[in-house]
Amino acid sequence: MTVKPPRRQRCAIYTRKSSEEGLEQEFNSLHAQREACEAYIASQRSEGWVPVRDQYDDGGISGGTLERSGLKKLLADIEDGLIDVVVVYKIDRLSRSLMDFSKLVEVFDRNGVTFVSVTQSFNTTTSMGRLTLNILLSFAQFEREVTAERIRDKVKASRMKGMWMGGYVPLGYDVRDRKLVVNEEEATMVRTVFERFVEVGSATVLARELRRDGIRNKQGTLVDKGYLYRLLNNRVYRGEAVHKGKAYPGEHEAIIDVRLWDQVHDMMSESPRKRANNSRTQTPALLKGLLFTATGAAMTPSSTKKGTRRYRYYVSMDLLKNRETPEDGIPRRLPADTVEAAVITEIRRVLRTPETTAQVIAALDQEDIPQADAIAALQQFSQLWEQLFPGEQARIIQLLVRRVTVTAEGLVIDLRTDGIAGVMRQMMTPRQLEAAE
């Protein structure tokens, strides 16, 4: 009588380890699991069991997810009909989630694949085997959830004590001996950001200033408006540790005092539109300290409000102080928009002259700024000017204009032509920073 040899059973070994600790060793946990599974397959050789060549390993990946490269490769080969038996050291190596495991069992059943655990003997083809499997998996999932709860409780308890629990290190601090320590250079920058926000009242304006000045975050990236809001809302700077939205006194030293913090957050509690309107009304007049009458009297900014509309003027100090003035035809009160527009028009005219172009090119060429960029900046002055915030525009005017004199015939504008190159370089800087990022 001829004995029919057993049908060949192609066996795939799957190994997994939750952490990466020890994986660099010559003989690690994955090797130990594979060795035990290979020995078990060898013991079943009489049943036709043979290992497949491919390896299915996932090192440093939790069993609570199915997003594992080794597991995905295993399932793909099962769907292709290349595997008959899946062998693992323990069932929780395949999955620690009862729901996920039920999905895997469906794949095994649909493709006629048997699942075997070397250290836990059961057969998934019988009802008792399935019951045993579900019980073991329930305990595995329970163990995983209890472990996660313990970790969460430990983090909460540590936060309540003000301890640093790792993660993103905020600008202004370094980590030493698992504790936050003030980095004085960065801390000064953080305080400056808070103080400047109180002055300008606008995150948009402040973000533009910081980018122009090349201020970068802890990762070396130019700061933007989103990062600025996160910085201003980070209670770590108050010396607090936060857990799930609740703050506790921290072990680390505060960088921002209570007064400055409250000032910033009182302003942030207002709507962005209202803050923008406030910042506009607080912006200094473009010609403040530069405008005089032909008689030498200074003209100071003034404004009146009719309804919701505000009208700006420059008014002679003679008029404000009721001084007697001759009938010389010199205006003592001028609309601010009109006189400022006239000065900006004159600046544009001067910038288009060949003499100014040559002067700017020569100056910027010494700073390795390409000639084409310098010419483009001069030609695009209007566009560059419109991109500046009012405070920046006022600063530029102070650098470009020496004096504006109001006469009976019109305005006499005295420009600082020797400083035009430096001003153009400053106006180009925000664009260069954005391009570099």
Side-chain angles (χ1 to χ4, degrees):
M1 181 178 178
T2 303
V3 178
K4 192 174 182 179
R7 188 173 68 89
R8 185 169 177 266
Q9 300 287 319
R10 296 161 297 179
C11 302
I13 298 173
Y14 178 78
T15 63
R16 182 186 64 80
K17 188 177 186 297
S18 296
S19 67
E20 297 183 354
E21 184 179 357
L23 291 179
E24 72 283 354
Q25 297 175 0
E26 186 175 350
F27 187 80
N28 56 43
S29 175
L30 299 182
H31 297 144
Q33 293 177 45
R34 174 167 294 279
E35 190 176 84
C37 292
E38 289 175 343
Y40 185 84
I41 293 173
S43 70
Q44 302 296 316
R45 188 169 298 165
S46 60
E47 301 296 327
W49 288 28
V50 293
V52 297
R53 292 178 178 273
D54 291 334
Q55 295 187 4
Y56 308 92
D57 305 317
D58 284 313
I61 303 178
S62 169
T65 175
L66 295 179
E67 294 299 318
R68 292 173 263 159
S69 58
L71 180 61
K72 287 183 176 181
K73 180 182 176 185
L74 174 65
L75 295 177
D77 288 350
I78 289 175
E79 295 287 2
D80 291 339
L82 304 177
I83 295 171
D84 301 307
V85 181
V86 175
V87 183
V88 297
Y89 182 70
K90 292 176 64 176
I91 61 169
D92 63 357
R93 297 303 87 193
L94 190 63
S95 178
R96 280 180 169 267
S97 168
L98 185 59
M99 183 177 295
D100 288 346
F101 200 92
S102 65
K103 296 177 183 178
L104 296 176
V105 170
E106 289 179 7
V107 176
F108 295 164
D109 289 347
R110 187 172 63 249
N111 293 277
V113 172
T114 302
F115 173 67
V116 174
S117 171
V118 171
T119 58
Q120 297 152 325
S121 180
F122 58 86
N123 187 343
T124 59
T125 60
T126 66
S127 58
M128 182 58 70
R130 290 180 181 275
L131 175 61
T132 304
L133 175 63
N134 287 336
I135 292 173
L136 292 173
L137 280 172
S138 296
F139 277 104
Q141 180 170 331
F142 173 73
E143 180 184 0
R144 177 171 61 90
E145 292 175 352
V146 168
T147 301
E149 288 177 358
R150 288 172 180 168
I151 293 173
R152 287 193 293 268
D153 290 344
K154 181 180 179 181
V155 171
K156 180 180 179 181
S158 299
R159 286 290 192 186
M160 291 177 68
K161 293 181 179 180
M163 298 172 62
W164 170 250
M165 294 303 294
Y168 164 75
V169 180
L171 185 72
Y173 292 97
D174 295 324
V175 176
R176 296 177 191 167
D177 299 326
R178 303 178 67 178
K179 292 184 178 181
L180 288 180
V181 179
V182 175
N183 179 318
E184 289 300 338
E185 182 178 352
E186 293 180 357
T188 300
M189 188 188 307
V190 171
R191 294 188 193 99
T192 301
V193 169
F194 274 78
E195 291 166 354
R196 282 295 294 154
F197 182 81
V198 173
E199 293 173 6
V200 302
S202 169
T204 303
V205 174
L206 181 54
R208 174 68 68 87
E209 285 187 8
L210 297 175
R211 291 173 67 84
R212 183 193 65 214
D213 295 339
I215 304 302
R216 299 176 181 269
N217 60 24
K218 199 80 170 177
Q219 290 70 42
T221 304
L222 287 171
V223 302
D224 55 19
K225 188 175 178 180
Y227 176 83
L228 181 59
Y229 272 120
R230 291 193 296 273
L231 185 147
L232 294 173
N233 283 294
N234 194 343
R235 299 189 69 88
V236 169
Y237 297 125
R238 281 283 307 272
E240 297 175 346
V242 180
H243 179 72
K244 293 188 179 297
K246 191 170 182 180
Y248 304 94
E251 289 184 333
H252 59 281
E253 180 183 347
I255 290 178
I256 303 301
D257 59 43
V258 177
R259 181 190 60 80
L260 181 56
W261 177 272
D262 289 343
Q263 280 183 310
V264 168
H265 284 265
D266 285 345
M267 296 179 66
M268 292 180 68
S269 63
E270 297 180 349
S271 68
R273 184 183 297 276
K274 184 176 180 181
R275 290 204 310 272
N277 291 335
N278 290 339
S279 65
R280 290 190 186 99
T281 59
Q282 295 169 4
T283 299
L286 293 182
L287 301 178
K288 183 177 180 180
L290 301 175
L291 193 61
F292 298 85
T293 66
T295 59
M299 299 191 73
T300 186
S302 180
S303 66
T304 59
K305 190 174 182 181
K306 294 181 180 180
T308 59
R309 190 168 182 179
R310 182 176 296 276
Y311 298 87
R312 296 188 305 114
Y313 301 92
Y314 287 97
V315 183
S316 167
M317 292 301 296
D318 288 337
L319 186 61
L320 290 176
K321 295 192 175 185
N322 296 319
R323 297 169 182 162
E324 290 187 9
T325 55
E327 294 293 334
D328 50 15
I330 299 175
R332 262 66 182 184
R333 182 185 181 96
L334 291 172
D337 292 340
T338 301
V339 67
E340 289 172 358
V343 171
I344 295 172
T345 299
E346 175 63 12
I347 292 174
R348 289 173 176 156
R349 185 194 67 78
V350 171
L351 291 180
R352 289 195 296 266
T353 62
E355 296 82 5
T356 300
T357 302
Q359 181 183 7
V360 171
I361 289 175
L364 295 184
D365 186 58
Q366 297 177 2
E367 302 179 22
D368 295 329
I369 295 178
Q371 179 176 329
D373 289 353
I375 295 175
L378 287 169
Q379 294 174 344
Q380 299 172 9
F381 172 81
S382 297
Q383 293 92 321
L384 289 172
W385 177 262
E386 294 301 327
Q387 291 177 9
L388 298 177
F389 289 95
E392 295 173 311
Q393 292 178 344
R395 185 175 59 82
I396 295 296
I397 289 294
Q398 295 291 323
L399 295 174
L400 283 178
V401 179
R402 182 177 287 109
R403 185 184 179 100
V404 178
T405 304
V406 181
T407 68
E409 292 76 24
L411 299 178
V412 178
I413 302 171
D414 183 12
L415 297 181
R416 303 176 189 272
T417 56
D418 56 339
I420 292 178
V423 169
M424 295 307 301
R425 180 183 64 251
Q426 293 183 35
M427 293 181 67
M428 293 166 62
T429 300
R431 281 192 167 187
Q432 292 170 348
L433 291 176
E434 290 173 5
E437 186 182 2

